[in-house]
Amino acid sequence: MTASRDPHFSFELFPPRTPPGWAKLPALINELARVKPSFFSVTYGAGGSDQNGTYDTLIKVVEQTGIEAAPHLTCVGSTRANIAALLQQYRDAGVKRIVALRGDLPATAMSSAARGEFRFANELIEFIRDAHGDAFALEVAAYPEIHPQATSPEADFDAFVRKVQAGADGAVTQYFYNADAYFDFAERCDRAGLKVPIVPGIMPIVNTQQLLRFSAACGAEVPRWVRLRLEAFGDDKRAVQDFGLEVVTRLCDTLLKNGAPGVHFYTLNQAEPTLKLWRNLGLPG
Ligand code: FAD
């Protein structure tokens, strides 16, 4: 598996949570692979998935398609020994890229032992670079609309700078629907002299309640006019999806025409919403 040089149109999958989800995975991967994304990434921990699910999904992508697959690796609750073992497993499997994250803290307070040996993602990046040099390309998370637990916008930006200084090669953003938030963030990166690509993470709109729930949890703002229009469609899924496609196509178009280095699609393990966006944007494949 070789790391692509221009990793800019990527698809995110999560490890299926049910046997029917696993049964559908090969067809989902094939459908998405047809347009030849730069790479796939596979989440870890989100929704209770375990590292075996991430590993198994990643191996399926690579074996079925030959396209690069990058595991997400979260460090919250982990020891250095756990992370070292996982990194070795990934290196042995030929992985060349990792999305390195802290991970979400549980809603209830955690003891420092339960929190693990890494406090923030920059410590994970340092650990990976110390142990493996440049063997992995490292992507980190960026938050144009500010991470929900940040003590201030400045502190959040400083935390991002620390991840880049620790050795990140690129960043993928939390999803957003305000293009200006992305451009403001990219401009701050420029002013701070950061040279890494900041790839916008894009969430297709397929289900109003799911979108509002995710957005409340991760701090993404759904603009009032978008929310009100989605809510007005009620149970009319077709209308929600058509409107969502229009809004998100326009967002991607604005981003790409104004300098964004690509798009990372949060596919939600559904091929059609992402592929419709892909076709609307006139991307090859
Ligand atoms: P960090 O960069 O460590 O930041 C976390 C918070 O701590 C921020 O508020 C930051 O401002 C603050 N902070 C950082 N350093 C310091 C410091 N020194 N002192 C005080 N405050 C500090 N979650 C999963 O569980 N699994 C996944 O697979 C997954 N994939 C993701 C992919 C992408 C592209 C994105 C954007 C998010 C993903 N997440 C995933 C969610 C992510 O784990 C959460 O947003 C998490 O809360 C923060 O992770 P981080 O790596 O950004 O943390």
Side-chain angles (χ1 to χ4, degrees), residues 12 41-47 49 72-76 99-105 115 119-123 140-143 146-152 155-160 162-163 171-175 201 218 264 266:
E12 183 172 305
S41 82
V42 185
T43 64
Y44 167 55
S49 67
H72 294 206
L73 178 60
T74 61
C75 57
V76 67
V99 182
L101 305 143
R102 181 193 70 178
D104 278 323
L105 303 178
R115 183 149 177 178
R119 286 174 53 76
F120 299 108
N122 63 300
E123 297 167 17
V140 291
Y143 300 88
I146 323 292
H147 186 269
Q149 287 155 0
T151 49
S152 71
D156 203 36
F157 189 73
D158 291 347
F160 179 71
R162 275 196 295 278
K163 293 194 281 195
V172 176
T173 74
Q174 183 56 277
Y175 71 87
C218 73
H264 177 80
Y266 295 105

Side-chain angles (χ1 to χ4, degrees), residues 185-202:
F185 187 83
E187 210 175 291
R188 293 177 82 187
C189 290
D190 269 353
R191 282 203 301 268
L194 305 183
K195 303 280 183 232
V196 300
I198 313 288
V199 177
I202 293 295

Side-chain angles (χ1 to χ4, degrees), residues 2-3 15 25 45-46 53 67 69 73 76 91 101 112 124 137-138 148-149 152 159 168 207 243 255:
T2 49
L25 186 63
I67 296 175
L73 178 60
V76 67
R91 196 149 170 195
L101 305 143
S112 69
L124 176 63
L138 298 178
Q149 287 155 0
S152 71
N207 176 313
F243 173 68
L255 292 166

